[in-house]
């Protein structure tokens, strides 16, 4: 309800018994939709470092300015009047880190790369010189 069924990360559950060819066709279709940037099948858990038991058959992520969702009739945005949240895609995992202590050299090197939002716990607990 907090995201109005909209977001840049969607999990798709396919009907059981779908042939491998049909699954490929669905992946191919989704991968070629305007605004879709990434589509993964069963390799999503490994590729995205997510728990496999929480994912469906396909994971779809969209561009920075695109949301994924169902038909307009499905969405009741009155329920999210206090602010719309979404399930995080690539562009929602990049957040600035600000620490009051200097980082250890290994963590400073990691920070210069591409740390993600869930990395903040490791950085805060283990990465500062304090």
């Amino acid at each position: 309800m907090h995201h109005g069924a909209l977001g840049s990360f969607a999990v798709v559950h396919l009907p059981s018994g779908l042939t491998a060819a049909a699954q490929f066709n669905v992946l191919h279709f989704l991968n070629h939709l305007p605004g879709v940037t990434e589509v993964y099948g069963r390799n999503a858990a490994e590729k995205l470092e997510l728990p496999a038991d929480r994912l469906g058959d396909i994971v779809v992520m969209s561009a920075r300015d695109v949301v994924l969702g169902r038909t307009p009739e499905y969405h009741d945005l009155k329920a999210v009047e206090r602010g719309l949240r979404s399930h995080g895609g690539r562009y929602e995992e990049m957040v600035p880190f600000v620490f009051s202590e200097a980082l250890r050299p290994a963590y400073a090197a990691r920070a210069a790369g591409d740390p993600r939002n869930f990395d903040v716990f490791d950085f805060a607990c283990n990465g500062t010189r304090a």
Side-chain angles (χ1 to χ4, degrees):
M1 194 169 221
H2 58 274
H3 53 82
L6 298 169
S8 61
F9 179 97
V11 175
V12 178
H13 298 270
L14 297 173
S16 61
L18 210 59
T19 66
Q23 290 179 25
F24 175 81
N25 288 339
V26 172
L27 286 165
H28 182 77
F29 171 79
L30 292 169
N31 201 38
H32 288 86
L33 287 174
V36 170
T37 58
E38 298 175 67
V39 178
Y40 299 102
R42 286 291 178 185
N43 64 333
E46 180 182 333
K47 187 81 173 162
L48 302 172
E49 300 178 67
L50 295 171
D53 64 331
R54 304 269 177 105
L55 298 177
D57 301 297
I58 298 174
V59 169
V60 183
M61 289 190 280
S62 67
R64 182 181 307 270
D65 58 348
V66 173
V67 295
L68 304 169
R70 296 176 71 167
T71 63
E73 296 79 27
Y74 184 81
H75 304 286
D76 180 12
L77 297 182
K78 287 180 261 155
V80 292
E81 289 177 9
R82 295 190 321 194
L84 182 68
R85 275 186 35 208
S86 72
H87 291 290
R90 289 281 185 213
Y91 300 103
E92 294 163 292
E93 70 180 15
M94 295 178 274
V95 295
F97 288 4
V98 179
F99 296 100
S100 59
E101 301 289 335
L103 292 174
R104 297 176 190 277
Y107 283 85
R110 284 179 54 197
D114 188 20
R116 293 162 296 173
N117 58 4
F118 58 78
D119 290 326
V120 71
F121 300 108
D122 181 35
F123 273 73
C125 294
N126 305 309
T128 64
R129 294 182 182 188

